[in-house]
Amino acid sequence: GLGHDVTEQERAALTLRESEARYRELFEANPHPMWVYDPESLRFLAVNDAAVAQYGYSRAEFLAMTIADIRPPGDVARLREAVAAQVDNAPPRVWHHRRKDGSLISVEISSHRLQFDAHNAVVVLANDVTRRLAAEQQLRKLSMAIEQSPSAVVITDPGWHVEYVNEAHVATTGYAREEILGRSVLVLRSPNVGTPEEPALSDTLAAGRAWHGEFTNRRKDGTDYVASAVVAPIRAADGTVTHFVAVQEDITEKKRLAEELDHHRHHLA
């Protein structure tokens, strides 16, 4: 008889089985959809409970499908190119996926290769970013609307230090952004005019309401102008005032024309 010491082999095999068991537990318990697929046939080899819940297919239905079945038809060619170029540790990519009910979701995909039941396979983590992308798109729209607004927009911190001005503010005041950011809004006020509006402004904002009124401001070149303004507090979810926003329109010419018209009417009278 011949004997071979297989202690190390047995220990290695046990370690491998334990590692695979832990990996499967993590796979199943992950709150994000995960699946394993064959990169040659694109067939699903395993899916976790989160994928079943997210996409609406049963596990049996998933295992009878390929990953092309959850992509819009126009994505299939791009999908095969991506699979062919699969590189571990590549940055996540965003794809459109179709659920069983026909709805489309935007999904950020992270993937890497692994051995799965003797298959060369790819494991995928799919993070639904549909709401995040919609929120980002909404923020971009709001940002563009503010930046391209014909009215000057100023956002300050609670201490009235400027944190943002739009292009119309730059054009109206003559101050470049880097000249005004971080400074008090009082730098814009004309020293030739008192500030009778400030008590009403403070009281109105303290009551949580928007203030409507006029400011006499001074441009960088030293000329004064009258601005019709709406100033409002910006609050966090807990009600704390985090910023103030002011929307201003230069009405100097409008006031001059109105005064001339009043003077003309008075003369006629």
Side-chain angles (χ1 to χ4, degrees), residues 45 76 110 137 182:
L45 302 176
V76 175
S110 302
Q137 183 180 21

Side-chain angles (χ1 to χ4, degrees), residues 40-52:
E40 297 298 326
S41 66
L42 303 184
R43 185 171 60 85
F44 286 102
L45 302 176
V47 294
N48 70 353
D49 289 342
V52 171

Side-chain angles (χ1 to χ4, degrees), residues 128-147:
D128 184 355
V129 293
T130 308
R131 291 183 178 179
R132 190 193 79 191
L133 293 180
E136 289 175 355
Q137 183 180 21
Q138 185 69 10
L139 285 175
R140 282 193 295 271
K141 289 179 181 178
L142 292 173
S143 177
M144 290 173 60
I146 293 173
E147 186 60 28

Side-chain angles (χ1 to χ4, degrees), residues 44 63-65 130 132 168 179 183 194 221 227 232 241 251 265:
F44 286 102
L63 298 181
M65 297 160 55
T130 308
R132 190 193 79 191
E179 294 177 306
R183 301 179 69 180
D221 64 9
V241 174
I251 61 170
R265 286 173 176 166

Side-chain angles (χ1 to χ4, degrees), residues 125-176:
L125 185 147
N127 182 24
D128 184 355
V129 293
T130 308
R131 291 183 178 179
R132 190 193 79 191
L133 293 180
E136 289 175 355
Q137 183 180 21
Q138 185 69 10
L139 285 175
R140 282 193 295 271
K141 289 179 181 178
L142 292 173
S143 177
M144 290 173 60
I146 293 173
E147 186 60 28
Q148 298 176 24
S149 170
S151 298
V153 178
V154 184
I155 298 176
T156 76
D157 65 15
W160 298 103
H161 296 96
V162 178
E163 292 191 359
Y164 169 84
V165 295
N166 68 347
E167 190 60 34
H169 187 276
V170 173
T172 299
T173 66
Y175 286 99

Side-chain angles (χ1 to χ4, degrees), residues 160 185-206 209-218 225-231 246 248:
W160 298 103
V185 291
L186 294 179
V187 73
L188 299 168
R189 308 300 288 277
S190 172
N192 297 329
V193 180
T195 55
E197 75 283 347
E198 286 189 358
L201 169 63
S202 299
D203 292 345
T204 302
L205 294 179
R209 301 191 305 272
W211 177 86
H212 301 253
E214 295 180 1
F215 294 119
T216 301
N217 290 340
R218 174 160 291 187
Y225 69 99
V226 180
S228 175
V230 178
V231 184
Q248 303 179 12

